[in-house]
């Protein structure tokens, strides 16, 4: 299976919203409280994606999607760091794939398209062992920085390369 990696466009917003919520649920289902999981909303995500991909799109950011058989199965976003004390000048803001494509190279292809080889930081759930292993495989190391993510009531950690 080979995924097509391409830039995301405004027409992708509804499908990206559905994939985003599904991937969140698959990724965080065991890590988050039920009330947090129940708050994941496709319509809210659609509005967010319409803004991200709309006419006021951040020209410094990268948004790519992965397609398999003409269906979006993952995405990645990157750009200047969003945090006030960054460790790198570029941040992988998100990278999610549906569990149906885990272990098939889709995440690696999205990572390559979103950040290339540039020095990058990424924030992830501290307890997400699968994501930690993925980023280690791709040259990231934990730098010891953590943050409490209040909306999801969990600790996140930073990894850098």
């Amino acid at each position: 299976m080979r995924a097509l990696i391409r830039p995301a466009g405004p027409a992708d917003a509804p499908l990206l919203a559905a994939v985003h919520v599904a991937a969140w649920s698959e990724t965080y289902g065991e890590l988050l409280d039920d009330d947090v999981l129940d708050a994941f909303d496709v319509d809210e995500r659609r509005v967010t994606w319409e803004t991200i991909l709309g006419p006021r799109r951040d020209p410094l950011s990268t948004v790519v999607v992965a397609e398999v058989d003409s269906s979006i199965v993952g995405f990645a976003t990157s750009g200047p760091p969003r945090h006030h004390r960054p460790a790198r000048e570029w941040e992988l803001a998100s990278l999610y794939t549906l569990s149906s494509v885990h272990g098939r190279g889709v995440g690696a292809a999205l990572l390559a398209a979103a950040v290339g080889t540039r020095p990058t930081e990424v924030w992830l759930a501290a307890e997400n062992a699968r994501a930690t292993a993925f980023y280690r495989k791709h040259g990231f190391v934990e730098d010891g920085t953590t943050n409490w993510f209040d909306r999801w009531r969990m600790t996140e950690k930073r990894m850098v390369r």
Side-chain angles (χ1 to χ4, degrees), residues 32-52:
L32 299 176
D33 295 332
D34 288 342
D35 65 313
V36 176
L37 290 169
D38 291 343
F40 293 166
D41 182 74
V42 173
D43 289 331
E44 177 188 323
R45 286 287 95 198
R46 180 186 47 76
V47 170
T48 299
W49 280 109
E50 286 172 347
T51 301
I52 291 169

Side-chain angles (χ1 to χ4, degrees), residues 96-158:
Y96 290 99
T97 63
L98 297 176
S99 61
S100 61
V101 298
H102 284 177
R104 297 183 178 195
V106 176
L110 284 167
L111 179 65
V115 304
T117 59
R118 67 174 40 129
T120 301
E121 67 182 52
V122 62
W123 289 88
L124 59 146
E127 295 180 21
N128 189 338
R130 182 179 187 86
T132 298
F134 172 82
Y135 290 117
R136 281 184 183 149
K137 178 180 177 180
H138 294 282
F140 287 79
V141 296
E142 296 166 63
D143 74 354
T145 305
T146 61
N147 181 53
W148 177 252
F149 186 43
D150 197 48
R151 179 178 179 192
W152 289 4
R153 298 188 301 271
M154 70 175 191
T155 300
E156 54 184 4
K157 65 183 175 184
R158 183 170 62 195

Side-chain angles (χ1 to χ4, degrees), residues 4-12 16 53 57 61-67 72 75-76 110 113:
L4 168 68
I5 308 298
R6 64 169 177 79
D12 294 318
L16 274 168
L53 300 172
R57 184 177 187 157
S61 294
T62 299
V63 182
V64 291
V65 298
E67 287 185 347
I72 294 176
F75 64 89
L110 284 167

